[in-house]
Amino acid sequence: GENVEQHPSTLSVQEGDSAVIKCTYSDSASNYFPWYKQELGKRPQLIIDIRSNVGEKKDQRIAVTLNKTAKHFSLHITETQPEDSAVYFCAAQTASGGSYIPTFGRGTSLIVHP
Amino acid sequence: DAGVTQSPTHLIKTRGQQVTLRCSPKSGHDTVSWYQQALGQGPQFIFQYYEEEERQRGNFPDRFSGHQFPNYSSELNVNALLLGDSALYLCASSFNYRAGEAFFGQGTRLTVV
């Protein structure tokens, strides 16, 4: 099955700095890569996603890049703000029996210091 | 639109007991997936329901079972609870099991003592 590795497990930055979280996946058939933000005690919320036919996608301060050959994808957050502090999960989604089931990374705890 | 709703929000059970968790999908969604999230971990896929049938199942024992109703809502049942079943149980809904984007509920925090 799919295996997703996520690094780093903890990332501490100063407000205004950029943050980068990296994930690798093992199944070359994976074709959808969502990123979720989970604040303490709250539900995971989709913040950006990318499909395998696209190399990069940007939404305001957030961008995701995908390298299919190397099987890795990254989340980039620019001009970080304290409210960006949360746990971020990457996922790789593979069709299994017709269903698209995501495999999640273990998460990155992002701490943005004011 | 209420989004995905789960009940209850918190639950404490004794080892060996049985528990039922409930999920109502986002309006317009017909597929419900359940996940277990242990502390400090990413969500682990339990199973997915579409058209009232279990379509896919993750690596969880038969103690974990589910059901989907005609209105697309779903239940997760766990029998013979173990201490290790303590976790946040998340429900996610999507439109059509082939769709990528899934919306999560706020979860049910289950504590087994």
Side-chain angles (χ1 to χ4, degrees):
Chain A
E2 176 66 277
N3 182 49
V4 176
E5 298 286 340
Q6 183 172 347
H7 300 280
S9 56
T10 305
L11 181 57
S12 184
V13 301
Q14 288 296 128
E15 183 177 0
D17 287 351
S18 294
V20 180
I21 303 170
K22 298 181 179 181
C23 290
T24 60
Y25 61 99
S26 60
D27 190 343
S28 57
S30 289
N31 59 3
Y32 175 66
F33 306 90
W35 285 87
Y36 289 87
K37 175 183 179 182
Q38 188 175 28
E39 297 176 63
L40 192 63
K42 296 190 176 181
R43 72 188 74 193
Q45 289 194 298
L46 180 70
I47 55 171
I48 195 167
D49 56 11
I50 192 168
R51 297 190 182 273
S52 58
N53 58 347
V54 176
E56 184 174 359
K57 184 176 178 180
K58 190 173 182 180
D59 183 4
Q60 300 182 344
R61 296 186 297 108
I62 295 173
V64 57
T65 59
L66 170 66
N67 183 326
K68 285 176 57 181
T69 303
K71 287 189 265 188
H72 67 71
F73 56 113
S74 300
L75 178 71
H76 305 252
I77 306 174
T78 58
E79 300 172 23
T80 53
Q81 301 167 3
E83 50 266 38
D84 293 330
S85 297
V87 179
Y88 291 80
F89 292 98
C90 65
Q93 205 145 311
T94 305
S96 174
S99 297
Y100 284 84
I101 307 301
T103 299
F104 286 84
R106 295 183 64 164
T108 295
S109 178
L110 174 62
I111 303 165
V112 181
H113 299 281
Chain B
D1 182 4
V4 181
T5 58
Q6 292 185 242
S7 63
T9 54
H10 296 83
L11 202 53
I12 299 175
K13 288 287 189 178
T14 303
R15 194 171 39 180
Q17 285 188 315
Q18 179 264 343
V19 69
T20 297
L21 311 182
R22 295 176 176 83
C23 172
S24 292
K26 182 178 170 67
S27 178
H29 286 185
D30 57 10
T31 301
V32 173
S33 300
W34 286 91
Y35 297 83
Q36 180 193 67
Q37 186 178 23
L39 203 61
Q41 304 290 321
Q44 298 292 312
F45 174 73
I46 302 175
F47 42 53
Q48 182 186 73
Y49 278 85
Y50 173 74
E51 290 189 335
E52 303 179 50
E53 290 189 1
E54 182 182 292
R55 283 203 55 86
Q56 290 295 325
R57 189 179 184 90
N59 189 24
F60 279 81
D62 292 344
R63 297 187 297 109
F64 289 78
S65 63
H67 189 76
Q68 186 179 35
F69 299 94
N71 67 353
Y72 308 120
S73 67
S74 177
E75 288 182 348
L76 164 66
N77 301 293
V78 187
N79 295 323
L81 284 167
L82 304 174
L83 296 179
D85 294 331
S86 296
L88 179 67
Y89 287 85
L90 293 162
C91 165
S93 73
S94 58
F95 173 66
N96 193 305
Y97 61 90
R98 296 187 184 89
E101 187 173 350
F103 292 84
F104 282 89
Q106 82 282 6
T108 294
R109 173 69 63 187
L110 172 65
T111 302
V112 182
V113 298

